[in-house]
Amino acid sequence: MGFAKGTTGVSLVAGTSKSRVLFYDIATMKLEDEITLRPAYGRLTAMVSDGSVFAVIGTSEGMLVLIDTRFRIELKRFRHFLGHQITSLSMHKADSILVGTAAGDVCVLDLRTGKWPVCVCSRSLQELKGNDINRRLRINSIEHVEKMTYFIAGSNDSMIRFWDLKNLERSYVINSSEAGTPYSSYRLNDTVYYCENAAPAVPRSPLSHAGNRLALEANNAISANNGRSGGPITSMAIVGVPSIMLVTGLQSGAIRVMI
């Protein structure tokens, strides 16, 4: 879901698994309008809104549909350049978004040019381009901090990955305690790939902002399901009160807080 400024005021924008995009009046919660995506696009699997004039819909067939939320029309569409199923979306800059997939990659899409300047992935480039869907690495949530160059991605393997798009060599797996081999970087056509050969790790340190770097130390889990605190990460949020914390929701029903 998201919010948008329409011609008649602010609307709540919601997507459904049946590929419908619904617009509700924020004051009355009455349905104002709806868009039904073409069946060829596949199921609606992710959505992000800029909170003002547009929303982007991701689908099971690797399609991304740009919608004008003021006039409720489809403006243009893109296809993931590797054809991967879209599983998570987040705003990056005013004219670009972060696109997470079922294959474990997160790529930047420039909405003006349709190009993919950067792609980061939690496996090797050969595995990524082989187009095999590794459900263990599926990206379920992306948390981007406004005006910062980094973002955090949570996936089915329970790992939280920190990616710094300005200094890619500073990227690492936050909650890993095992040493790993370095990342490899490649440039093919117009895209820079930054991939793990194995899960790299850094010593855990207190949560702090050091330039554009985020580090985390303490790990507490609140379980709502028989004490189990592991499993795939399904959602994440960075909060600043009472202190800076990364809060993750797990498929097991647990809420993990890292400070």
Side-chain angles (χ1 to χ4, degrees):
M1 293 189 295
F3 295 95
K5 296 178 182 178
T7 56
T8 58
V10 179
S11 299
L12 173 69
V13 185
T16 76
S17 59
K18 294 185 178 180
S19 298
R20 297 167 63 210
V21 183
L22 309 177
F23 298 86
Y24 292 92
D25 182 280
I26 195 65
T28 65
M29 291 309 294
K30 291 183 178 179
L31 181 64
E32 296 178 319
D33 205 351
E34 69 175 81
I35 298 173
T36 301
L37 302 182
R38 302 176 190 180
Y41 293 172
R43 293 182 295 104
L44 189 157
T45 52
M47 185 182 77
V48 66
S49 169
D50 73 336
S52 181
V53 297
F54 73 83
V56 180
I57 308 299
T59 77
S60 59
E61 295 298 320
M63 298 296 295
L64 292 136
V65 184
L66 179 64
I67 291 176
D68 186 317
T69 54
R70 297 165 300 178
F71 303 104
R72 285 78 187 271
I73 58 174
E74 178 183 323
L75 293 177
K76 62 171 72 172
R77 60 184 181 274
F78 312 90
R79 183 171 177 79
H80 190 279
F81 66 108
L82 294 174
H84 294 164
Q85 176 182 335
I86 311 303
T87 55
S88 185
L89 297 172
S90 177
M91 292 301 303
H92 179 229
K93 297 179 180 178
D95 52 7
S96 64
I97 61 173
L98 297 167
V99 181
T101 78
D105 56 280
V106 181
C107 303
V108 176
L109 170 62
D110 188 314
L111 296 172
R112 294 179 303 168
T113 65
K115 293 183 177 180
W116 304 79
V118 180
C119 183
V120 298
C121 46
S122 49
R123 53 180 175 164
S124 71
L125 180 65
Q126 290 74 18
E127 292 175 308
L128 180 70
K129 294 180 73 65
N131 220 12
D132 295 325
I133 300 301
N134 187 333
R135 298 188 185 281
R136 184 180 66 83
L137 299 176
R138 170 191 170 107
I139 303 296
N140 294 322
S141 184
I142 303 171
E143 182 71 7
H144 176 254
V145 180
E146 187 178 3
K147 298 181 180 180
M148 295 293 184
T149 63
Y150 61 78
F151 68 91
I152 299 171
S155 57
N156 270 2
D157 64 357
S158 298
M159 293 296 178
I160 303 170
R161 290 174 169 84
F162 170 94
W163 299 101
D164 190 328
L165 295 180
K166 185 176 182 180
N167 301 287
L168 284 168
E169 68 278 0
R170 298 174 66 188
S171 304
Y172 61 97
V173 179
I174 290 175
N175 55 333
S176 176
S177 59
E178 298 178 2
T181 55
Y183 290 97
S184 297
S185 61
Y186 315 83
R187 179 181 289 276
L188 295 176
N189 300 321
D190 295 322
T191 304
V192 174
Y193 295 86
Y194 203 66
C195 302
E196 291 178 20
N197 295 326
V202 295
R204 293 184 296 176
S205 56
L207 177 62
S208 61
H209 288 277
N212 279 341
R213 183 175 179 120
L214 180 71
L216 301 109
E217 182 181 56
N219 188 345
N220 297 320
I222 304 170
S223 177
N225 189 8
N226 298 324
R228 294 197 298 272
S229 59
I233 295 169
T234 56
S235 62
M236 295 188 304
I238 295 175
V239 297
V241 177
S243 60
I244 301 175
M245 300 179 290
L246 175 64
V247 182
T248 58
L250 307 179
Q251 191 177 74
S252 64
I255 298 171
R256 186 165 57 192
V257 180
M258 305 181 76
I259 58 176

